[in-house]
Amino acid sequence: MDLDKHRTPAPYEGGEGCLTTLVRIPVRIVVLVLVLPVRMLWDLLVAGGRLAERVLLRPLGRALEWLYDQVLVPVGRALARLTVALLVWPWVGLWRYVVVPVVRYGVVVPLVWLYGAVLTPAGHGLRWVYDKLLVPAVTGLVTLLLVWPAVGVWRYVLKPLGIAADWLVVHLVVLPLVWVHRHVLTPVGHGIAWTLLMAGKGLAATGRGLWTAVVWLVMTLLVLPLAWVYRRVLAPVGREIAAAFGVAWRVAGFISRAVGRALAWLAWHLVGAPVTWVYRAVCTPVGHFLRDVAWAPVKRVALEAGRAARGALASARETLRAARRDAWRALVGPPQVTDARELDGSAARTLGRTTTVPSAAPAPEISLLADETVKRG
């Protein structure tokens, strides 16, 4: 079987080399040997999972669903209601009818009255004393004892001293430093900066040359060989290994299914077929024999016994009815008949009679048994 017959060739297969061709077949054989047990184990686990889901998990889920709907939900609702009735409502009633009234009328109302009738007027009085007496007195004292002396010291002592010190610092320190910076330090700094700039340019050129040489060496000795190895060796080998895994997985699937069919065939011919033959050739004739020889006579006997029992019960009921009628007649007497024709004649004759028998067939007008009388039950 050509497994790659219907596959579109990959783009890289157009320029395959001898290395790829030599590596492909051994790699695929090795990968098939490695993948086949995994694929068979996977198929076995899938079949076992489906069987477990159908035989165990689905009935268990239905049982758990029924248990949840029919047992746990009603029990949970009952427990929730019981919990609310025993734990929530007592605390709600205690809070609503005990704690809230006690706090409102025992704490809040007295505090509100105390705040409105006592603390508010007292606070207003203290605020007036603070605004009208304390603030002006303290302000006047601070101004007289601290502000005016400090203003006099600043205006007549510190400010003239500061002006004199500023003139001395400017003429004795700042101007000489400015002259030194402008005529000495600036030319020296320009010379040093020019020297450093020229040295930096030389070092930069040297560094660029060294960096170019290092980059060329790394690219030539390391990157290009690694790229060639990756492009020519690792990439084809990796692609072949991936393709080998795909082909091996499909081939292992075919082999696994073939093994499964073979095991099913063996199970049928070793167990299923003998059991079927035993059922058809042994159990079925034995069952038919037992049905015809043992069960049928027992059934007929049971039916006959049932009919006899029903007949006996019917006879007993008729006897009981007759005894009840006789006892009633003995107690109240025979029925009163106004027409003599009602006492004799055929039970089936209804012509000329006031009473008809619903269950009796009409008798002919001329009867040979006209002289006989039939006792009606």
Side-chain angles (χ1 to χ4, degrees), residues 5 18 36 63 85 87 95 126 139 154 194 199 238 242-243 262-263 269 273 281 290 295 300 330 344 362:
K5 178 173 63 177
C18 60
L36 181 59
L87 298 179
W95 171 261
L126 293 176
T139 303
W154 166 258
W194 181 81
L263 292 177
H269 285 83
L290 292 176
W295 174 249
R300 286 195 296 270
D344 54 358

Side-chain angles (χ1 to χ4, degrees), residues 95 99-116:
W95 171 261
V99 176
V100 172
V102 169
V103 172
R104 176 180 296 176
Y105 297 104
V107 179
V108 177
V109 173
L111 290 178
V112 170
W113 177 85
L114 179 65
Y115 175 78

Side-chain angles (χ1 to χ4, degrees), residues 103-303:
V103 172
R104 176 180 296 176
Y105 297 104
V107 179
V108 177
V109 173
L111 290 178
V112 170
W113 177 85
L114 179 65
Y115 175 78
V118 178
L119 298 179
T120 300
H124 290 172
L126 293 176
R127 179 64 179 270
W128 182 86
V129 171
Y130 174 78
D131 293 336
K132 301 299 181 180
L133 299 177
L134 293 179
V135 172
V138 172
T139 303
L141 290 175
V142 170
T143 302
L144 181 61
L145 298 178
L146 296 178
V147 176
W148 288 355
V151 169
V153 171
W154 166 258
R155 181 177 298 173
Y156 300 109
V157 177
L158 296 179
K159 187 175 182 180
L161 291 177
I163 293 173
D166 178 67
W167 186 87
L168 290 175
V169 168
V170 169
H171 288 83
L172 297 179
V173 177
V174 175
L175 292 178
L177 290 178
V178 169
W179 184 86
V180 170
H181 177 269
R182 182 176 298 171
H183 296 88
V184 178
L185 296 179
T186 300
V188 173
H190 289 171
I192 293 173
W194 181 81
T195 303
L196 293 176
L197 179 62
M198 297 305 293
K201 289 182 178 180
L203 292 176
T206 305
R208 283 195 295 271
L210 292 175
W211 176 254
T212 304
V214 170
V215 169
W216 183 83
L217 290 175
V218 170
M219 291 294 296
T220 303
L221 299 179
L222 183 62
V223 176
L224 292 179
L226 289 178
W228 183 86
V229 170
Y230 173 78
R231 187 180 298 115
R232 298 299 180 181
V233 178
L234 297 180
V237 171
R239 286 193 292 265
E240 288 300 325
I241 291 175
F245 269 102
V247 174
W249 185 260
R250 291 191 293 272
V251 173
F254 292 130
I255 296 175
S256 176
R257 284 191 288 271
V259 172
R261 294 190 186 99
L263 292 177
W265 183 84
L266 289 176
W268 168 253
H269 285 83
L270 294 178
V271 179
V275 170
T276 303
W277 179 84
V278 169
Y279 175 78
R280 292 178 179 176
V282 179
C283 296
T284 301
V286 170
H288 292 172
F289 175 77
L290 292 176
R291 183 191 63 187
D292 297 336
V293 175
W295 174 249
V298 171
K299 184 177 180 180
R300 286 195 296 270
V301 170
L303 292 176

Side-chain angles (χ1 to χ4, degrees), residues 81-105:
R81 293 177 181 176
L82 182 63
T83 302
V84 170
L86 294 180
L87 298 179
V88 176
W89 286 114
W91 292 104
V92 171
L94 180 63
W95 171 261
R96 184 178 298 172
Y97 300 108
V98 177
V99 176
V100 172
V102 169
V103 172
R104 176 180 296 176
Y105 297 104

